[in-house]
Amino acid sequence: MADQDLAPGLRWADDRLGLAKLGRKNLRKVFPDHWSFMLGEIALYSFLILILTGIFLTLWFEPSMAETEYQGSYSLLKGLHMSEAYESTLRISFDIRGGLLMRQIHHWAAILFTAAMSVHLLRVFFTGAFRKPRELNWLIGIAMLFLGIIEGFIGYGLPDDLLSGTGLRITEGLVLAAPVVGTYLSFFIFGGEFPGDDFVSRFYTVHVLLIPGILLALITVHLILVVYHKHTQFPGPGRTEKNVVGYPLMPVYLAKAGGFFFVVFGVLAIMGALLQINPVWLYGPYNPAEVTAGSQPDWYMAWLDGAVRLMPGLESEFWGVTISWNILVPALLMPPLFIGFVALYPFIEQWVTGDKHEHHLLDRPRNQPTRTGIGAAIITFYGVLWLNSGNDLIATHFNSSINAITWVCRIGVFLGPALAFWITRRIAISLQRADRERVLHGLETGVIQRLPDGRYVEKHAPISTYEAYQLTAHDRQIPIEAGPETDPNGVDSPHRRRDRIRARISSFYFADVVQKPTAAELHHPHGHDAPALDSPIGTPRLEEPSGHPEGGLPASEARRR
C-alpha cells in the first residue's frame, strides 16, 4: 500500500513513526506451518486469558488477613470468622455474577499455561531448537517456566483456605530448612511467626504486579528473538538453513492465530463451566491447627512434594545448628541442580559436540540418540518424583503399603532414568538404521523373486527424492578427538587432561550413531543385489528438490534469510 493511500489519521501517524514501512516489512514475514508450533501459542494465549480473568478477579478480591465474620449466601459457613481474603473469595464464587466461572477459567488457564510451556520446551529440546543462535531464548523459556510455577503457587495461596494454607505451611518448613538464613527468610515472607498477618497482601503484590510484569517482558523479548532469528522448521522439500517455507504473517498466519486464540479461550471456558476446580468453600478458612486429609498441590508442584516424601529422615547437628538433610537435599539442593542442568544443557552439548554452527533446521529426535535418551531420562526422573507425591493416595486407593510404594520410588528415581536413557537411545539408533536402509535400498514391496543362482530376494522400490532429502537433511556426527599432548617444541599442552575428558565424553555422545549414506554408497543403493522395481521417480538423491515444496506451496513463498 502506498503511503498516499493511507487514511489522513494513519498518514499523520506514519509521517512521525514510519509505521507503513515497518508494517510492509514485517507483516509479510513467513512462518512455517507445523502442529507442534501451536504449543507455544497455547502458552501465550493462556497467559493472555490469565491477564483478562485476573483483572476481573482483582475488582472484588480483598488481599487482607484482617478477621471478619462471614454473612454471605453460602449457609454452611455463615457466622464463621475468617480472613477478608477468604471471605472475598467466597463472595466472588457465590455472589458476583460470573465470578465462579472467572475463578475456574483463571485456575484452568494457569494449569494450561504451565503445561503448554513444559511441553513446548520438550519440543524445543528434542528437536534441537535451542542450538546456536537460540541459546538465549532457551534460557528465557526456562526462566518463564520457573516464574510461571512460582506465580501459580502464589496465586494458589491467595484465597487463604485450608488447602492452600497447608501448602504454605509446607513452604514455611522448606524455607526454615535453609541453614542460617531460613528464619530470616520466613519472617520476611510471612511478616512474623507463621502464618503472620501480611503474607496475603505481599503475595498479592507479587502475583498481580511483579511476576506478570517480568513474564510480559520476557515474552516480548522471546517473540522479538523469534522474529530476529527467523523461525525454525523441520527438514523437508524446499527447506534449507537459509530460508523459511511457510505462510506470511498477514493475512494467513494472523487469521489462523486469531482463530486459534478463540479456540483456546473456548476450551478453557468450557472447562471452567463444567469441570470444578479448587472448591475453597469445601475446605473452610485456614487454621494452623488443622490439615486437609489427602491434600495435594497443583500438578506442577507435585514433583517437589514427591522429592521431599522420597528422602529418608536424616538430620545432623553442627555446633548447635541442626541440618535437616531430609528437607535440605530434596527441596533446596536438588531443584537448583536439576533446573540448572536443564538450563545449561545447550552449552554443555555445544562443548561436548564442538558444534559452533548456526542451525535453523530442526533435528528429528532419532538423529540425536544421546540427546533423546537424556530427555527421556529427565522425564522419567521428574515422573517418579511426581508419582511419589501421591504415595498416600495410591496406598489408600489400591490398598497397598505406603512404605513399599516409597521404596519402589526410591529405587526408581535412580534406576528409572538410566533404563529410560538406554532404551530410548537404542530405539533411536534402530530407527536410524531403518532410515539408512530405506535410503539405500528403497521400500519393501513384498514381491519375492528367484535369482538365477537360486537365491530368493525381495524386490525394492526406490523412495521419492523428497523423502530421501528429508531422511538425510542432517549433518554427519563425528566425535571430537583429543589434540596432541605436546606442541611442536615438545612443551606439554596446558589443557591435555581437559581435552582427553572432552574427547571421551564426545565419543560416548556419538557412540553407535548411524551415519547417513555417503555419495559413494548412494551410487550402489541395492547392496544386497535385489532388483529394483521400475519407478518414475528413480533412485533417491541428496540434492535439494526443485519445484514446489510440500503442500503445493509455491517456491516464491520461501523467503530467503
Side-chain angles (χ1 to χ4, degrees):
M1 178 186 293
D3 295 348
Q4 58 269 23
D5 295 334
L6 297 173
L10 294 177
R11 189 183 308 115
W12 182 91
D14 181 57
D15 291 340
R16 289 152 180 82
L17 302 175
L19 297 177
K21 182 179 180 181
L22 184 66
R24 279 195 299 268
K25 178 181 179 181
N26 291 282
L27 291 179
R28 296 297 297 173
K29 195 168 192 66
V30 172
F31 286 87
D33 191 26
H34 192 271
W35 68 267
S36 65
F37 299 149
M38 293 192 300
L39 297 170
E41 294 182 34
I42 293 174
L44 175 62
Y45 301 153
S46 301
F47 180 73
L48 296 178
I49 295 167
L50 280 169
I51 292 177
L52 295 175
T53 54
I55 292 173
F56 178 92
L57 296 175
T58 56
L59 299 177
W60 286 279
F61 182 74
E62 293 289 341
S64 171
M65 293 191 68
E67 188 174 300
T68 185
E69 182 178 335
Y70 180 68
Q71 295 297 332
S73 57
Y74 188 66
S75 59
L76 295 180
L77 295 178
K78 187 167 291 187
L80 194 66
H81 289 269
M82 59 186 64
S83 66
E84 289 185 351
Y86 185 64
E87 189 273 338
S88 63
T89 305
L90 294 176
R91 186 169 70 253
I92 292 172
S93 301
F94 295 109
D95 301 317
I96 303 300
R97 188 181 297 274
L100 180 58
L101 177 63
M102 287 295 177
R103 269 196 64 237
Q104 300 207 144
I105 292 177
H106 189 76
H107 203 130
W108 280 120
I111 291 177
L112 183 61
F113 176 57
T114 310
M117 281 196 296
S118 301
V119 181
H120 176 63
L121 283 169
L122 287 176
R123 197 276 301 173
V124 171
F125 179 87
F126 283 112
T127 60
F130 55 77
R131 294 171 297 172
K132 184 182 178 180
R134 297 176 179 84
E135 302 96 334
L136 180 59
N137 240 356
W138 171 261
L139 295 177
I140 290 174
I142 296 294
M144 287 194 292
L145 177 60
F146 183 66
L147 289 173
I149 291 174
I150 296 177
E151 174 78 343
F153 178 75
I154 291 176
Y156 169 84
L158 286 179
D160 196 32
D161 60 282
L162 185 56
L163 181 61
S164 66
T166 302
L168 290 175
R169 169 63 93 178
I170 297 173
T171 303
E172 189 227 8
L174 303 183
V175 172
L176 288 175
V180 183
V181 299
T183 53
Y184 298 98
L185 288 175
S186 177
F187 270 66
F188 173 76
I189 294 172
F190 297 101
E193 192 72 28
F194 182 84
D197 298 322
D198 302 324
F199 86 84
V200 169
S201 58
R202 294 181 180 184
F203 279 24
Y204 181 78
T205 302
V206 174
H207 182 75
V208 174
L209 295 177
L210 181 60
I211 295 182
I214 297 175
L215 281 172
L216 192 59
L218 290 176
I219 290 173
T220 302
V221 175
H222 177 77
L223 295 177
I224 290 174
L225 288 177
V226 168
V227 173
Y228 176 72
H229 292 142
K230 310 297 190 297
H231 206 296
T232 55
Q233 58 187 343
F234 285 94
R239 302 168 188 173
T240 69
E241 296 282 7
K242 299 182 181 298
N243 72 349
V244 177
V245 176
Y247 299 95
L249 175 63
M250 183 70 181
V252 179
Y253 193 82
L254 196 61
K256 294 173 67 175
F260 190 52
F261 168 78
F262 289 106
V263 170
V264 174
F265 206 154
V267 171
L268 285 173
I270 292 174
M271 294 173 67
L274 302 180
L275 304 178
Q276 179 176 271
I277 189 170
N278 198 26
V280 294
W281 54 89
L282 298 181
Y283 310 137
Y286 180 61
N287 183 345
E290 300 174 356
V291 176
T292 303
S295 58
Q296 297 289 314
D298 281 332
W299 74 269
Y300 46 82
M301 294 298 300
W303 71 286
L304 186 59
D305 187 33
V308 174
R309 298 186 187 200
L310 202 68
M311 186 71 181
L314 301 175
E315 291 184 353
S316 300
E317 187 172 338
F318 301 98
W319 303 289
V321 178
T322 300
I323 304 297
S324 301
W325 300 107
N326 54 324
I327 302 296
L328 183 65
V329 172
L332 300 181
L333 294 181
M334 185 274 295
L337 293 175
F338 178 69
I339 296 173
F341 171 76
V342 175
L344 296 177
Y345 182 82
F347 307 96
I348 297 173
E349 181 179 289
Q350 188 178 94
W351 181 78
V352 170
T353 62
D355 185 2
K356 303 290 185 180
H357 303 291
E358 288 194 5
H359 295 276
H360 304 290
L361 284 179
L362 298 173
D363 283 327
R364 300 175 76 202
R366 67 182 63 182
N367 291 331
Q368 294 290 339
T370 302
R371 180 203 297 156
T372 304
I374 291 173
I378 291 174
I379 294 173
T380 304
F381 177 78
Y382 178 93
V384 172
L385 297 181
W386 185 85
L387 184 67
N388 192 60
S389 68
N391 58 1
D392 53 340
L393 297 180
I394 296 173
T396 55
H397 280 72
F398 295 96
N399 195 26
S400 304
S401 168
I402 190 172
N403 292 327
I405 296 171
T406 302
W407 272 105
V408 168
C409 290
R410 284 175 178 172
I411 297 172
V413 79
F414 295 102
L415 187 61
L419 286 175
F421 171 81
W422 183 78
I423 293 173
T424 304
R425 192 168 181 270
R426 299 313 305 177
I427 292 174
I429 291 173
S430 67
L431 292 174
Q432 281 188 314
R433 290 198 183 98
D435 286 347
R436 179 182 172 86
E437 289 292 314
R438 195 178 184 88
V439 172
L440 289 176
H441 306 304
L443 301 172
E444 297 180 355
T445 63
V447 178
I448 306 299
Q449 183 178 7
R450 185 176 181 179
L451 299 182
D453 60 3
R455 288 184 299 140
Y456 289 90
V457 295
E458 181 181 15
K459 287 187 176 182
H460 287 69
I463 61 175
S464 68
T465 309
Y466 283 176
E467 185 178 1
Y469 176 81
Q470 187 175 22
L471 294 179
T472 56
H474 59 275
D475 298 328
R476 299 180 67 83
Q477 301 167 354
I478 308 299
I480 294 176
E481 295 182 359
E485 295 191 0
T486 59
D487 62 15
N489 298 320
V491 178
D492 290 342
S493 172
H495 305 298
R496 62 183 184 278
R497 181 175 298 178
R498 184 195 65 185
D499 293 341
R500 284 199 300 266
I501 294 174
R502 184 185 183 189
R504 291 193 188 101
I505 298 175
S506 180
S507 178
F508 169 78
Y509 187 91
F510 292 117
D512 299 327
V513 169
V514 180
Q515 303 291 356
K516 66 180 182 180
T518 63
E521 291 172 319
L522 286 174
H523 283 107
H524 304 282
H526 304 288
H528 47 51
D529 296 328
L533 294 180
D534 293 334
S535 171
I537 299 175
T539 305
R541 295 178 298 172
L542 292 183
E543 290 85 3
E544 180 184 345
S546 59
H548 299 314
E550 286 178 337
L553 187 65
S556 60
E557 290 293 344
R559 175 172 295 177
R560 294 291 166 184
R561 294 183 182 274

